[in-house]
Amino acid sequence: MDNNQPIIVKRIKRSAGGHHGGAWKIAFADFAVAMMAFFLVMWLLTVASPEELQQISGYFNDPIGFEEGGSPYAIDLGGTPTVAPDRTLSDIREDESPIPDDTQSESASKTVEQVASEQVEKRELEMLLQELQNKIDVEPVLQRFKDQILLEITQDGLRIQIVDAENRPMFASGSPELRPYFEEILLALSDTIAVVPKKISIGGHTDAAPFVGRRGYGNWELSTERANAARRTLLAAGYPENQLARVVGFADSALFDRADPLNPINRRIDIVVLNKRAEDQILEGLGDQVESLGAPAQQDDSEPPAPLEQSAPLESPAEPLQEPEQEQARPPRSTNFFEDGGDPQSFEE
């Protein structure tokens, strides 16, 4: 038997896995760059002004128009070429050279300062609104009536409206007498409003129901007296009197619910913490009224002044008044002082 068969030995060489490439790293890097670009775009849209957003929109809508206009960029930050003007400086004659106007620079600086002050003022009013809202949510006295206290920022400032409810009116029916809980609301709000050194305007409103019960007395008088009653309550709570700008009654001329003029919510008191612009407008209007009342009427020098119409002749101060022997029948005395020509005798009985 032949045992010389070859012996085959199979050796398996084991080694670690080889390099599989870095494609995933490239994909991840592309993803990171895309996310960064996305967040940059979101940030730019947030900080861009409306004019810049309009320019960006115009660039993507008509990029050729932007390129023909001399600036291929949506937002020109300076340094880019522009289309040459029709006229150059050499075309302007020396006598027509523009003179710098200091008033324009002053007005521009005033405009910038005014915009900055209005923004600061708006932040102060927003902070005051937040403080009042927090106080309403915390204090039990105000928390019961939070549905009747409305706060909002308007173009005139911060408006605080205290409205009537069907089962909880602020005043007695047809009267300027305050209910006790309405006094508590004003007393609780007064100290927070007084923190801001701004003037306030108090307005009274009624619904469209006509007032009956007193002759010569209507919703105008009632709304004015109710606003004045709110003023007295604020002063009693320690509110500074020099921070009161005006007290006015609106009757039913500014309804809260125009669809339902008889809705109890139309009966309300509004307190407006005025911004500087609204305060200046009110003071300017009051100044014009005082000036128109105090200034004498101007007459044309070419024409003689027209004589005043008088219901009774004016006596000379040098001559003593003489009683007539017999009392003559006099016409009925007019109750208008201006028709009497300012004669104090017309008011004597």
Side-chain angles (χ1 to χ4, degrees):
M1 183 175 181
D2 189 4
N3 292 329
N4 294 328
Q5 294 181 356
I7 299 174
I8 300 173
V9 179
K10 185 178 181 182
R11 292 184 174 88
I12 299 175
K13 185 178 180 181
R14 300 182 180 275
S15 61
H19 182 68
H20 298 287
W24 66 273
K25 297 179 181 179
I26 298 176
F28 181 76
D30 292 341
F31 174 76
V33 172
M35 292 300 296
M36 182 179 64
F38 172 74
F39 285 113
L40 284 175
V41 170
M42 297 298 293
W43 174 73
L44 289 174
L45 292 178
T46 304
V47 301
S49 63
E51 292 79 9
E52 292 174 344
L53 293 177
Q54 188 175 4
Q55 291 180 2
I56 295 173
S57 176
Y59 172 77
F60 284 103
N61 289 332
D62 186 15
I64 299 178
F66 271 79
E67 292 179 357
E68 291 180 352
S71 176
Y73 306 101
I75 303 176
D76 191 359
L77 300 178
T80 57
T82 56
V83 178
D86 296 335
R87 298 182 63 190
T88 61
L89 294 176
S90 59
D91 297 332
I92 303 177
R93 294 178 299 181
E94 293 182 358
D95 55 349
E96 295 180 354
S97 59
I99 301 175
D101 191 0
D102 295 337
T103 58
Q104 294 181 358
S105 60
E106 291 178 0
S107 61
S109 61
K110 289 182 180 179
T111 303
V112 173
E113 293 177 358
Q114 183 178 3
V115 171
S117 62
E118 288 178 355
Q119 292 178 353
V120 173
E121 193 175 37
K122 185 177 180 181
R123 293 194 199 98
E124 292 179 354
L125 294 177
E126 289 175 351
M127 292 175 61
L128 176 61
L129 184 147
Q130 189 61 41
E131 290 181 6
L132 290 173
Q133 190 63 54
N134 295 337
K135 191 169 187 178
I136 293 172
D137 296 336
V138 172
E139 290 199 9
V141 176
L142 299 175
Q143 196 172 11
R144 293 182 299 165
F145 308 101
K146 64 179 181 179
D147 295 336
Q148 294 179 243
I149 305 174
L150 309 178
L151 307 175
E152 62 175 339
I153 299 291
T154 66
Q155 61 180 0
D156 294 332
L158 171 60
R159 181 164 60 185
I160 307 166
Q161 296 190 95
I162 308 173
V163 301
D164 254 6
E166 188 173 359
N167 57 346
R168 202 156 47 190
M170 296 180 297
F171 296 90
S173 178
S175 169
E177 181 181 356
L178 278 70
R179 296 290 189 184
Y181 48 80
F182 181 47
E183 291 184 355
E184 294 178 358
I185 294 175
L186 293 178
L187 294 175
L189 295 177
S190 62
D191 56 345
T192 305
I193 302 174
V195 173
V196 181
K198 294 184 179 297
K199 293 185 179 294
I200 63 172
S201 171
I202 305 176
H205 301 263
T206 65
D207 55 16
F211 181 85
V212 293
R214 200 193 315 180
R215 186 176 181 181
Y217 189 91
N219 286 335
W220 289 103
E221 292 78 9
L222 180 61
S223 61
T224 304
E225 291 188 5
R226 287 180 171 179
N228 199 29
R231 177 194 65 85
R232 289 194 297 266
T233 303
L234 288 175
L235 294 181
Y239 191 83
E241 188 172 4
N242 58 356
Q243 291 184 214
L244 288 171
R246 67 177 178 182
V247 178
V248 62
F250 294 94
D252 59 343
S253 61
L255 296 174
F256 188 90
D257 184 6
R258 297 183 181 274
D260 186 6
L262 301 180
N263 192 336
I265 200 173
N266 292 317
R267 302 189 296 268
R268 66 195 189 277
I269 293 292
D270 59 9
I271 302 172
V272 181
V273 182
L274 300 170
N275 53 30
K276 189 66 170 62
R277 182 186 57 81
E279 180 182 341
D280 292 342
Q281 288 179 353
I282 292 176
L283 296 178
E284 183 180 355
L286 293 176
D288 293 342
Q289 292 179 5
V290 172
E291 184 179 356
S292 62
L293 292 175
Q298 298 180 356
Q299 297 179 351
D300 191 359
D301 297 338
S302 61
E303 297 181 359
L308 297 175
E309 296 183 0
Q310 301 176 354
S311 59
L314 292 175
E315 299 290 344
S316 174
E319 298 179 358
L321 297 176
Q322 299 180 357
E323 296 290 340
E325 296 180 358
Q326 295 181 355
E327 184 177 359
Q328 299 179 357
R330 293 183 297 176
R333 179 172 58 87
S334 174
T335 59
N336 191 345
F337 176 74
F338 297 99
E339 294 180 0
D340 296 337
D343 185 10
Q345 298 179 3
S346 61
F347 289 91
E348 298 179 357
E349 294 295 341

